[in-house]
Amino acid sequence: MARAEHRSGPDGEGICVPDDCPCEIGACTLSKYVRTTNESRGDHHHTLAETETAVAEMLSGMSVDMESMAAVQNIYRAANAVRKRLESSVLAPHDLTWTGWVVLWVVWIWGDIETRHVAAEAGISKGTLTGVIGTLEKRGLLKRRTHPDDARRVLVSLTAKGRKLMIVLFPKFNEEESYVTHSLSSPEKATLARTLRKVALQVEP
Amino acid sequence: MARAEHRSGPDGEGICVPDDCPCEIGACTLSKYVRTTNESRGDHHHTLAETETAVAEMLSGMSVDMESMAAVQNIYRAANAVRKRLESSVLAPHDLTWTGWVVLWVVWIWGDIETRHVAAEAGISKGTLTGVIGTLEKRGLLKRRTHPDDARRVLVSLTAKGRKLMIVLFPKFNEEESYVTHSLSSPEKATLARTLRKVALQVEP
DNA sequence: GATCAGTCGTTCGGGCCCGAACGACTGTGT
DNA sequence: ACACAGTCGTTCGGGCCCGAACGACTGATC
């Protein structure tokens, strides 16, 4: 079972322990799937190439679709990185969770929408949505009312307070979206969106 | 405040309620951020164009970077779609969560790794990791031991049972990774990975 | 040797997350 | 009228998720 060994980097941050930390350049990060924790202080990185080398070594003998693996990995990694970035820079100051934001967004755009549709749009289960809407309702950002024609259903809409919050928050959010894609050219962004849509459609039938 | 109205589609699945569901083609899905719930039965879809039209209408007067917004949205949407797909097809049959899988993967590849590094690699907080490792340890898939040179630290490694599971599971997982990127050409996959890496690096400094 | 600042993993409370089970309700068919 | 199959949102238990606070431990400095 091959395993990488390493010694601490020249800067000697003292975070990697020689002989034990499985890094090769005093920089610990597998880069698999995702990595965006606010706690890694000295911030270590394996390059993707290093990771792939370690993986290839581990997986020698198995037939592996490295290309697809790398693509999927980076989707998840980028998504988490972006999410955590937006959470901490835009949402946290207003004490909003990511899911709370998404729900507010959906209700803002479509207004007076049934909860089951909100759940579908937000990509969460209806059971989860009940709790999230409860939280947001408690804070006076949206309100529930029974569907006039079908007592089983519940319609959701923003309150004035909720609308005011969105008008303040959305520009900040969009500004951060611009920032995180700042290193991409305009056609790159378009291609990225188009390619990812193909992936999503492959999965959502 | 403009809002789309619609009537049920010709197939009349009876899921969208006329006059109330904010769809235009009897197909409800905002496509914002993500949408992959196993509960939406009749499976409704707004095209991205429709969504963008509704958003644009809602946001008229504000200056919005639509291109970046679409890129970020699709990253998150694809990530969730892929995650839920892999969870249900590969992980759920073995009663594994996504996070549990990622942790097992990290430990499998790097072996005998300190918990703080596992947390960084997996992209979760150390507090969360304590619980996840507890779960996996209880199931006999990995084991903890105190670092020989530093009693504060804890080393994690797979058990024989854990290794055996990975050898069974990884090929299935990789096969699904191939499937979800099936509609992409080889250079498209490479470009996708490279582009997403740029986004991730923009955020993780 | 005795601080002491810093790092380790753990614990805790509150929120999200899911699937299964539930009561309320609807529309259909009898 | 009246069952009844199906859908609605809610509740529940178990797991993940975070940040803050904590005790254990280390290494450097006195």
Side-chain angles (χ1 to χ4, degrees), chain B residues 44-119:
Chain B
H44 294 187
H45 282 270
H46 275 301
T47 63
L48 197 75
E50 288 169 340
T51 301
E52 285 177 351
T53 300
V55 171
E57 205 172 340
M58 187 71 215
L59 267 32
S60 64
M62 307 174 95
S63 77
V64 182
D65 182 351
M66 286 286 183
E67 222 165 30
S68 299
M69 192 172 84
V72 170
Q73 281 170 20
N74 279 290
I75 292 174
Y76 201 70
R77 175 184 171 188
N80 259 48
V82 167
R83 171 176 171 159
K84 292 189 177 179
R85 162 84 190 192
L86 294 181
E87 275 178 342
S88 65
S89 65
V90 180
L91 270 25
H94 291 263
D95 205 39
L96 267 183
T97 63
W98 176 270
T99 305
W101 162 262
V102 173
V103 168
L104 285 178
W105 165 267
V106 169
V107 177
W108 187 42
I109 293 299
W110 295 106
D112 233 21
I113 183 175
E114 297 179 22
T115 55
R116 69 209 163 99
H117 293 141
V118 177

Side-chain angles (χ1 to χ4, degrees), chain A residues 4-22:
Chain A
E5 298 287 337
H6 91 299
R7 318 220 135 252
S8 285
D11 46 327
E13 318 165 278
I15 293 202
C16 276
V17 177
D19 303 326
D20 286 294
C21 172

Side-chain angles (χ1 to χ4, degrees), chain B residues 154-193:
Chain B
V154 173
L155 292 172
V156 184
S157 56
L158 292 192
T159 61
K161 183 180 175 187
R163 269 191 297 276
K164 199 181 297 184
L165 180 65
M166 290 306 288
I167 289 171
V168 172
L169 235 48
F170 176 76
K172 294 184 183 177
F173 196 90
N174 187 237
E175 193 182 341
E176 284 294 303
E177 286 175 331
S178 297
Y179 172 75
V180 301
T181 55
H182 182 257
S183 53
L184 269 44
S185 69
S186 188
E188 272 180 324
K189 292 180 195 177
T191 300
L192 176 62

Side-chain angles (χ1 to χ4, degrees), chain A residues 15 17 29-30 32 34-35 65 67 76 83-84 105 110 116 120-121 123 153 174 178 186 198 204, chain B residues 15 17 29-30 32 34-35 65 67 76 83-84 105 110 116 120-121 123 153 174 178 186 204:
Chain A
I15 293 202
V17 177
T29 303
L30 219 180
K32 172 71 184 182
V34 77
R35 175 225 326 112
D65 182 350
E67 222 164 31
Y76 200 71
R83 171 174 171 160
K84 291 189 177 178
W105 165 268
W110 297 105
R116 69 209 162 100
E121 301 301 339
R153 308 182 185 188
N174 188 238
S178 297
S186 188
K198 281 205 272 184
E204 320 167 340
Chain B
I15 292 200
V17 177
T29 303
L30 219 179
K32 173 70 182 182
V34 78
R35 174 225 328 112
D65 182 351
E67 222 165 30
Y76 201 70
R83 171 176 171 159
K84 292 189 177 179
W105 165 267
W110 295 106
R116 69 209 163 99
E121 299 302 338
R153 307 181 186 187
N174 187 237
S178 297
S186 188
E204 319 167 339

